[in-house]
Amino acid sequence: MIKKIFFVYALALTLQLFTAGCVDCNCGPVKDIYWTAFGVVVKNIDAALPQPMTTDANVISSANYGIHIGMQMRQLVLRKQHINWGLIQTAQACSCDEGNFIAKEDILSLEIFSNNDFDATHPKNTDLSLYFKVKNNQKMLSIVDYLKSYKTLPYASKPSKLAFYDNVFLQVAPSSNKRHKFRVKITLSDGTILAAETTEVELS
């Protein structure tokens, strides 16, 4: 009798190991998970430094200057990952898709201002976003073009690589003043405005 019980148990374990890919995880339909932006954090970047390149230095070369823009996100609907374990936990486990991540708002625009005159055509509090580009997959894109391409990304890729993940970099050196605090202003499709200011930096 004991031999029969052992044989049945061994047979069940063997079948489980060979059919791991066919286990029904009982996941149910994939749900939509909505997230919203509620804030933004900005930091100065020196491209001459190793990743993440953020710095508290007071002087940075204009050729290496950039701004790290960290979007602060809040999930509106959360579905915990569902995990089903098999007969022996170390033998197999299956997990369900977390869901489709969907942004509640689109980013309509990003503007960058300085508290000082930048050049003859850009006095203080004038939008300087045309002087910055986004580094995305080793390519430099204007902020406008980046926002257009960002809207075409699959929903699932957005939470792991949020807008401006690759940072924005200055393309034109200032000619009027060297010291600047840059204020970043992001306008969302629901009218929400997110804003933050860098610490003062001297662009050499």
Side-chain angles (χ1 to χ4, degrees):
M1 182 67 179
I2 294 177
K3 289 183 179 180
K4 288 184 179 179
I5 294 174
F6 177 77
F7 174 77
V8 171
Y9 180 82
L11 179 62
L13 177 59
T14 302
L15 289 174
Q16 184 182 28
L17 292 174
F18 280 102
T19 60
C22 301
V23 174
D24 182 5
C25 289
N26 254 343
C27 291
V30 177
K31 293 185 178 181
D32 292 337
I33 297 175
Y34 292 87
W35 50 273
T36 182
F38 68 92
V40 61
V41 176
V42 296
K43 296 180 180 180
N44 293 323
I45 283 178
D46 185 345
L49 298 176
Q51 290 288 350
M53 299 185 291
T54 55
T55 178
D56 294 324
N58 296 323
V59 181
I60 301 175
S61 167
S62 297
N64 294 325
Y65 180 75
I67 303 174
H68 170 75
I69 302 173
M71 299 287 289
Q72 296 178 306
M73 313 303 296
R74 180 183 295 116
Q75 204 162 286
L76 299 179
V77 179
L78 174 64
R79 177 173 182 255
K80 293 183 178 179
Q81 190 178 39
H82 182 78
I83 299 178
N84 286 341
W85 294 94
L87 182 64
I88 302 297
Q89 289 190 0
T90 56
Q92 70 177 58
C94 60
S95 60
C96 301
D97 291 336
E98 293 184 8
N100 293 322
F101 290 84
I102 303 174
K104 182 175 176 287
E105 312 93 0
D106 287 327
I107 298 176
L108 296 184
S109 65
L110 180 143
E111 298 167 282
I112 301 173
F113 307 90
S114 174
N115 65 328
N116 276 324
D117 295 344
F118 195 85
D119 58 25
T121 58
H122 291 84
K124 65 179 183 179
N125 297 324
T126 302
D127 182 21
L128 299 168
S129 58
L130 291 178
Y131 283 178
F132 286 82
K133 287 191 175 181
V134 184
K135 184 179 181 182
N136 181 251
N137 294 326
Q138 305 304 315
K139 294 181 179 179
M140 300 300 289
L141 300 175
S142 70
I143 290 175
V144 172
D145 288 341
Y146 177 78
L147 288 178
K148 289 178 181 177
S149 65
Y150 174 74
K151 291 177 182 179
T152 66
L153 291 176
Y155 288 144
S157 70
K158 289 187 176 182
S160 62
K161 194 163 186 177
L162 301 177
F164 309 107
Y165 175 88
D166 290 314
N167 307 311
V168 298
F169 291 91
L170 183 65
Q171 304 297 301
V172 180
S175 58
S176 296
N177 290 282
K178 297 296 183 182
R179 291 188 172 275
H180 297 273
K181 287 183 181 179
F182 292 102
R183 181 168 58 90
V184 173
K185 175 184 173 183
I186 296 174
T187 303
L188 304 180
S189 56
D190 66 350
T192 298
I193 294 177
L194 309 176
E197 189 176 66
T198 69
T199 58
E200 186 176 74
V201 60
E202 180 179 336
L203 300 176
S204 61

